[in-house]
């Protein structure tokens, strides 16, 4: 690698471009990575879900990425290319996490970040990230789908690079999560479950799994199951939702950009899409945090809610290896998480140890 970045890693994860460079398309040989050392996220074994299913269930914890969601995987590739090609500014439409990620990577690259967000629907943590990293925030009186249309038109008419997942470099970066899962498990899982909004991620995982199998690095390809919210479930009903509505704001998308790719991923893998209610998604978020110690944002729990609802409907995963992507960190949206609790503080006592012990039922 050229330039000013030191190459010494001393065994530390170098970021997904350096780790998987030969397997990522669209990157020129002399491209210098704009990286915050994204990827290399933990695959955490879930004792809870493994015992419920009688299989082996693994959580791909994408909240451990630098800005707290999987969006960083596609942003390192998209931002590296935008910089390489001489862009001065980058634009995205976002339900929150894309803008948080873009703002951080634009700061690292020295480019100007421009964010289009739907009015009043962005979780506070995500908005804080975009603002603090220096993005210019334009709030649109409309939903995500309106924002994406505007971002595309801005990029085609003005000198700004579009970094939404319609930019093919995004999916190239995101597919590396499938590589990591296969590398860790020694093969692809039998099933892969994940939340679906704009449908880039399910498409990218499938691309990664297909590539690894074709290279002989895995012996099989998983069945892909994508989960949406009842109020934003176009891939389940087959028609766009003009006014998508769900508390899982990261998947509040009515007309997914990667619709065709996602449908192909489901059908080629023998998989399918299903939808969950907001109460199912929010309950799964809390259950996951309590059982496995993994706190995710509401949308990120859709795959967990999906598994639980399939088990309740009699579906079996016994003896199977299941990977579930939990897409973003719980600290992104604490307001929605706390709505599940009527009381935050259980008891108030005087500054006295016996009072605390009594309140805790220890005496
Ligand atoms: C972006 C995002 C999703 C949806 O991913 P798509 O690629 O748009 O389907 C799900 N969860 C979180 C936390 C996200 O940031």
């Amino acid at each position: 690698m050229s330039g000013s970045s030191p190459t010494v890693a001393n065994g530390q994860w170098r970021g997904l471009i350096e780790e998987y460079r030969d397997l990522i398309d669209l990157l020129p040989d002399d491209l210098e990575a704009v990286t915050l050392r994204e990827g290399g996220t933990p695959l955490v074994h879930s004792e809870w879900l493994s015992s419920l299913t009688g299989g082996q269930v693994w959580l791909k914890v994408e909240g451990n990425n630098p800005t707290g969601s999987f969006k960083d995987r596609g942003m390192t590739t998209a931002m590296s290319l935008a910089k390489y090609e001489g862009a001065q500014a980058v634009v995205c439409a976002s339900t929150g996490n894309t803008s948080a990620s873009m703002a951080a990577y634009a700061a690292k690259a020295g480019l100007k970040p421009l964010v289009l967000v739907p009015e009043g629907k962005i979780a506070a943590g995500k908005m804080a990230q975009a603002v603090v990293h220096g993005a210019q925030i334009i709030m649109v009186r409309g939903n995500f789908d309106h924002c994406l249309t505007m971002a595309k038109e801005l990029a085609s008419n003005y000198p700004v690079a579009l970094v939404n997942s319609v930019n093919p470099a995004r999916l190239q970066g995101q597919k590396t999560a499938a590589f990591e899962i296969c590398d860790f498990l020694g093969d692809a899982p039998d099933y892969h479950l994940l939340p679906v909004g704009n449908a880039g991620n399910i498409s990218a995982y499938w691309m990664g799994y297909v590539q690894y199998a074709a290279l002989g690095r895995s012996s099989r390809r998983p069945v892909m199951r994508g989960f949406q919210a009842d109020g934003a479930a176009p891939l389940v009903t087959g028609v766009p939702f003009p006014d998508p509505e769900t508390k899982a704001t990261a998947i509040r998308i009515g007309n997914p950009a990667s619709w065709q790719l996602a449908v192909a991923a489901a059908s080629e893998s023998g998989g399918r899409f299903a939808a969950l209610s907001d109460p199912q998604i929010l309950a799964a978020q809390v259950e996951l945090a309590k059982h496995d110690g993994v706190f995710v944002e509401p949308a990120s729990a859709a795959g967990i809610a999906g598994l639980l609802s399939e088990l309740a409907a009699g579906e079996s995963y016994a003896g199977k290896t299941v990977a579930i992507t939990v897409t973003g960190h719980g600290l992104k949206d604490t307001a929605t998480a706390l709505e599940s609790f009527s009381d935050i503080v259980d008891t108030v006592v005087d500054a006295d140890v016996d009072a605390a012990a009594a309140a805790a039922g220890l005496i």
Side-chain angles (χ1 to χ4, degrees), residues 2 8 16 29 34 57 61 65 100 118 130 159 168 171 205 235 255 260 265 285 288 305 318 345 355:
S2 62
V8 178
L16 60 87
D29 288 342
V34 175
V57 181
V61 184
N65 276 296
L171 300 201
Y205 270 99
L235 292 168
N255 192 9
Q260 299 308 331
Q285 176 191 29
L288 180 68
V345 175

Side-chain angles (χ1 to χ4, degrees), residues 168-179:
R170 284 278 306 279
L171 300 201
Q172 284 296 317
Q174 285 175 214
K175 76 181 180 183
T176 60
F179 299 165

Side-chain angles (χ1 to χ4, degrees), residues 68-71 95 97-98 126 165 170 174 195-202 250-251 253 297 299-300 327-329:
S69 84
F70 76 81
K71 298 299 197 296
T95 61
N97 282 331
T98 300
K126 303 174 186 182
S165 59
R170 284 278 306 279
Q174 285 175 214
V196 174
N198 213 22
N201 213 27
I202 190 170
I251 54 172
I253 294 173
E297 68 167 281
S300 304
T327 44
H329 204 289

